[in-house]
Amino acid sequence: MAPSVKEDPASTTTADLREAQQQRILAAAMTCFARSGFHKASMQDICAEAGMSAGNLYRYFRSKEAIIAAIAEADRVRNAEIFEVLERTDDPVRGLCALARAFLREMHGREAPALCTEIIAEALRNPEIRAMFERNINEAHAACAKALRRGIEQGTVDPGIDVDVTVRLLMAMGDGIIAHRPMADFMTDDRIDAVLDTLLERFLRPGAPPTPPPISE
């Protein structure tokens, strides 16, 4: 849930108040979408969760689709901040480890797992929802692929990997961890960090074990 906002009448601007109201609505919407899904959650549900009238809510968002688009854009801004970790790290493998930690901590909450899986499922069914989040996915892919290619050039990443497939496998693994954590109490931050470090080091470094041949049927 979004943090409470304490307003100082002497310093708060109209823009600040509008931003606070929008964040209040988005927090309420994410709660409703995580609880009921995009289809079943109604604007009335969001109004009730936000504690405001329909007329007030529609001053900020004209439709449920506009709210979903705003959530996608907020995710994009948050992701851009996390991807700065890669840019600041000389070693891309360690950068990816740090990025994974930041992302999983950001997404470790009461609503995040349900909302994450709902976005993926709805994107497969609904082209409009897919278009809203596809830019985020493509930007995440580009940032990680750039880091891996930089690592290959500097000799810290195995040049034999398929960069694009590797990136999507890592992204899918991250989504899977988010979805599974509520069903596995032992998936604590420290244990996940240790396993992810080992996995990425063994998978991405030069001199990793050779790829085994395909299993014959």
Side-chain angles (χ1 to χ4, degrees):
M1 295 293 289
S4 60
V5 179
K6 294 183 179 180
E7 306 296 351
D8 178 359
S11 61
T12 301
T13 66
T14 301
D16 291 332
L17 291 172
R18 182 173 182 81
E19 173 68 16
Q21 287 289 74
Q22 287 175 331
Q23 292 304 315
R24 175 182 171 187
I25 293 167
L26 293 181
M30 286 189 285
T31 297
C32 293
F33 293 149
R35 182 171 59 224
S36 305
F38 288 143
H39 282 302
K40 291 184 178 179
S42 66
M43 290 294 274
Q44 290 75 19
D45 294 330
I46 297 170
C47 290
E49 185 69 30
M52 64 174 57
S53 68
N56 195 17
L57 185 145
Y58 280 106
R59 291 173 55 197
Y60 301 96
F61 296 100
R62 295 182 178 180
S63 65
K64 186 166 62 174
E65 288 72 23
I67 293 175
I68 297 171
I71 291 172
E73 180 59 25
D75 284 346
R76 182 170 176 258
V77 171
R78 179 207 64 209
N79 290 345
E81 294 173 354
I82 293 176
F83 293 139
E84 288 181 6
V85 173
L86 283 178
E87 295 295 329
R88 294 195 303 266
T89 306
D90 292 335
D91 182 347
V93 175
R94 300 314 307 159
L96 284 172
C97 290
L99 184 151
R101 287 193 184 96
F103 178 73
L104 291 174
R105 281 162 174 71
E106 178 75 21
M107 296 297 289
H108 187 201
R110 181 171 56 88
E111 297 156 4
L115 191 58
C116 179
T117 54
E118 176 66 17
I119 288 170
I120 293 171
E122 190 62 22
L124 295 175
R125 295 188 294 258
N126 187 328
E128 293 183 2
I129 298 296
R130 176 173 177 169
M132 292 178 189
F133 288 94
E134 196 164 30
R135 181 173 64 168
N136 300 12
I137 294 170
N138 290 340
E139 289 180 354
H141 183 119
C144 294
K146 179 182 177 181
L148 288 178
R149 291 189 174 99
R150 176 163 58 90
I152 290 171
E153 290 176 358
Q154 67 189 33
T156 57
V157 171
D158 182 359
I161 65 170
D162 183 323
V163 170
D164 288 322
V165 173
T166 295
V167 168
R168 284 307 168 105
L169 285 175
L170 295 177
M171 291 171 66
M173 182 174 66
D175 290 337
I177 292 171
I178 293 167
H180 277 267
R181 288 191 77 171
M183 299 178 286
D185 291 340
F186 57 86
M187 295 280 282
T188 56
D189 286 338
D190 58 336
R191 294 178 72 176
I192 291 173
D193 289 349
V195 173
L196 278 176
D197 282 355
T198 300
L199 187 152
L200 292 178
E201 287 286 339
R202 292 181 181 178
F203 177 33
L204 297 176
R205 292 299 190 191
T211 304
I215 298 174
S216 57
E217 301 199 9

